[in-house]
């Protein structure tokens, strides 16, 4: 048996270090010390192998090979070459190196990894007479070099790949699955699941009975080693790998699992046994969307019905403490960035809720809905009333996406839009809920509670599945007037407008891809476009271009600074059978399936141009370009990085913009100018002195579903005198 004492480091989610140290102690490991991001320990190779096989909390288990000076590349190379790699890397084992961290002289991690790899290979070539094979994808021995100031720590990854990539996940698991495994395993450790299950406590995940948490719970209950079915390990390329000891560890793990399974098969099930009610929120679900609110409600309801003596634990469910009788018995903050979450453990069941009755949209008995404030019944009643009227109007007018509610009840300050699916989404129904930023006079906690009630009620009142209700929050960005996106994961589908298929993203952006208040304006543009040369400036996703092309425009030109939106416009054109070409990039024609610059539908030439609009207009004037119909819908404010140091303000800059646009108009041509600044005041006299005439047509362009808010936009016809 190898009696050498080695230094190891097991990684874990930040915040779980103490739990990991306790787990390692429980595995018989001695000299354990919790550190930031993991725990160090000392022991024999068997101790590290046992940690690899049994640890539920560790992400990786690394063997510390050495620490060297890394003030510059030469010092790093010299220090690494001096280490006894022949005592670490097994004969004929392939290697790979990855690096993290930088310092003043070593600022490229790929260069650092290459330098370390060269030093290792040169050392082995000198000692063994042959360089090891390098296998970046599947090495037998994966080494990690971490730079911190002028020091570098070199380690051998004994795990091979993250231990949280459990065998049950399979190869098709979502990217975030290992992070959810870490959260689930940590939750079970935090609540003392091993002891609870030994006492006969049962388990329930009210959100998903086949969740990752449920799989982790089953492995704990069955005493199944999480690494038992793993096929590939990083320690097989280690000279000190004790193969016989590893086989013995596997045999022991098999025997333990079989013994526990036999015990569980004969153990009586008590109907009144205490229960662990627990759940881990979706890694990419916003904590305030309708699906999250429904999940939280399910957890609270299940907790309330649990037998006496039950415990309750939740990860990633914000606002859960307000549902319970007392503060959490334990609260643990975990992770950073995408994996950041909070675990809360409760010993007492939730408080009794307020419940309101909501009319069932499908008929039958009323549906009880738990809310934070019984006054939410006013919101539910208003939404039900306006939805009934608006759906009849939409069916009569052939409108597929429209506004239902716009802060009709001031305390419930949000906008709710309804989208009927089209194309592959035909027959589906979606709701988009945008929360307005509350005034400073409103308590943030109260505003949050009201918005939770909105999201709990919208699916019930409208008869839409919670997963089809998407929510956003309008929050001011730092340093400017633009709103920052408070959405979540993208959800791309299609709706229609006047028979045109339009792509929308209900989840990923603050706006969905189609401005509903401009519906009448776009219809007007389509009717005006027949036989015209049409120009769409600040085009967004190009829906106005669709109307112009469908209306028989002779040609269309669509200009926007954002490549994302220009690609979106291209997909919209292709979905409706219109060919297009990208300006100055002839090889990018109709990327959805070929075609020429001549339209397959209507015979129009449709050109897409990525450019700063104001600069493009100046260039178009120099070229003496000419258009019969121009649609101009600029943002209220923009400080896009693509604009350089310049900013855009529609009130400040509209005079120069409209003068320039008017110079692109052909004889008898007209521009449609729209903006959403509610306080906008056109400089009519100044424009008039420059030969530009404005006709205010705002009242004619406000759709029925926006009549409660006629200041939603301003719209003008622009002509040259």
């Amino acid at each position: 048996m190898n009696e050498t004492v080695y230094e190891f480091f097991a990684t874990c989610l930040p915040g779980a270090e103490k739990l990991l140290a306790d787990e390692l102690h429980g595995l018989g490991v001695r000299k354990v010390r919790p550190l930031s991001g993991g725990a160090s320990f000392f022991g024999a190779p068997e101790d590290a192998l046992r940690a690899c096989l049994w640890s539920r909390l560790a992400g990786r288990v690394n063997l510390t090979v050495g620490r060297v000076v890394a003030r510059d590349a030469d010092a790093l190379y010299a220090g690494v070459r001096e280490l006894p790699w022949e005592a670490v890397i097994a004969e004929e084992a392939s290697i790979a190196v990855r690096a993290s961290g930088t310092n003043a002289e070593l600022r490229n991690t790929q260069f650092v990894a290459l330098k370390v790899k060269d030093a290792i290979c040169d050392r082995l070539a000198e000692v063994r007479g042959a360089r090891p094979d390098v296998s970046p994808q599947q090495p037998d021995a994966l080494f990690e070099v971490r730079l911190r100031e002028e020091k570098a720590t070199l380690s051998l990854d004994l795990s091979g790949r993250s231990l949280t990539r459990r065998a049950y996940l399979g190869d098709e698991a979502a990217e975030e699955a290992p992070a959810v495994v870490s959260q689930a395993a940590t939750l079970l450790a935090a609540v003392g699941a091993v002891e609870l299950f030994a006492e006969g406590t049962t388990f329930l995940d009210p959100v998903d009975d086949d969740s990752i948490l449920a799989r982790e719970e089953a492995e704990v209950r069955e005493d199944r080693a999480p690494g038992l079915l793993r096929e590939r390990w990083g320690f097989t390329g280690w000279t000190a790998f004790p193969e016989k000891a590893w086989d013995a560890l596997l045999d022991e793990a098999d025997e333990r699992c079989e013994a526990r399974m036999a015990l569980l098969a004969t153990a009586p099930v008590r109907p009144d046994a205490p229960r662990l009610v627990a759940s881990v929120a979706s890694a990419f679900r916003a904590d305030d969307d309708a699906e999250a609110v429904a999940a939280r409600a399910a957890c609270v309801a299940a907790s309330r019905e649990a037998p006496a003596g039950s415990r309750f634990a939740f990860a990633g469910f914000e606002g859960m403490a307000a549902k319970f009788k007392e503060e959490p018995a334990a609260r643990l903050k975990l992770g950073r960035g995408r994996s950041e979450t909070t675990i809360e453990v409760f010993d007492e069941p939730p408080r009794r809720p307020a419940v309101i009755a909501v009319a069932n949209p499908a008929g039958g008995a009323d549906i009880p809905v738990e809310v934070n404030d019984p006054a939410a019944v006013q919101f539910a009643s208003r939404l039900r009333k306006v939805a009934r009227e608006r759906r009849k109007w939409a069916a009569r007018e052939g409108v597929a996406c429209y506004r239902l509610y716009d802060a009709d009840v001031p305390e419930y300050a949000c906008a709710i839009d309804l989208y009927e699916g089209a194309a592959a989404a035909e027959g589906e129904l979606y709701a988009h809920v945008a929360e307005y930023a509350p005034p400073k006079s409103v308590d943030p906690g109260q505003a949050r509670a009201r918005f939770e009630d909105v999201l709990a009620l919208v699916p019930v009142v409208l008869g839409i599945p919670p997963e089809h209700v998407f929510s956003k929050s309008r929050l001011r960005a730092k340093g400017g007037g633009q709103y920052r996106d408070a959405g979540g994961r993208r959800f791309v589908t299609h709706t229609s407008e006047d028979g045109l298929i339009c792509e929308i993203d209900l989840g990923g952006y603050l706006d969905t891809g189609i401005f509903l208040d401009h519906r009448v304006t776009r219809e007007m543009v389509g009717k005006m476009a027949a036989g015209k040369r049409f120009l769409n400036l600040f085009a967004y996703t190009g829906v106005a271009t669709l109307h112009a092309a469908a209306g028989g425009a002779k040609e269309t030109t669509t200009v926007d600074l954002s490549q994302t939106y220009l690609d979106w416009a291209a997909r919209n054109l292709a979905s409706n059978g219109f060919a297009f070409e990208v300006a100055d990039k002839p090889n990018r024609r109709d990327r959805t399936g070929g075609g020429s610059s001549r339209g397959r539908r209507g015979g129009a030439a449709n050109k897409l141009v990525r450019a700063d609009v104001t600069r493009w207009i100046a260039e178009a004037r120099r070229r003496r370009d000419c258009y019969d119909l121009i649609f101009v819908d600029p943002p209220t404010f923009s400080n896009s990085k693509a604009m350089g140091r310049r900013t855009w303000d529609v009130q400040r800059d509209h005079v120069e913009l409209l003068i320039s646009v008017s110079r692109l108009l052909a004889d008898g041509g007209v521009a449609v100018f729209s903006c959403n600044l509610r306080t906008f005041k056109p400089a009519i006299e100044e424009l008039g002195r420059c030969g530009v005439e404005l006709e205010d047509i705002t009242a004619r362009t406000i759709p029925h579903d926006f009549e409660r808010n006629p200041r939603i936009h301003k719209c003008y016809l622009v002509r040259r005198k």
Side-chain angles (χ1 to χ4, degrees), residues 293 297 300-301 304 323 353-356 368-372 452-453 456-457:
V293 170
V300 171
R304 192 175 293 118
K323 308 290 185 182
V355 178
I356 63 174
V369 179
E370 294 185 5
V371 293
N372 295 302
E452 283 185 5
D453 288 348
L457 288 164

Side-chain angles (χ1 to χ4, degrees), residues 355-425:
V355 178
I356 63 174
V358 176
N360 190 334
D366 288 352
I367 302 173
V369 179
E370 294 185 5
V371 293
N372 295 302
D373 185 349
V377 70
Q378 300 174 29
F379 164 78
S381 298
R382 176 62 185 176
L383 180 61
R384 178 172 177 266
K385 178 181 178 181
V386 73
R388 189 166 54 237
E389 179 274 328
R390 204 58 49 82
R391 281 173 164 169
K392 291 179 180 178
W393 162 81
R396 186 172 62 250
E397 299 294 327
V399 177
C401 43
Y402 48 92
R403 178 145 296 180
L404 283 178
Y405 174 95
D406 197 352
D408 298 32
V409 180
E411 291 79 8
Y412 296 87
C414 63
I416 303 174
D417 299 326
L418 203 65
Y419 293 83
E420 297 176 6

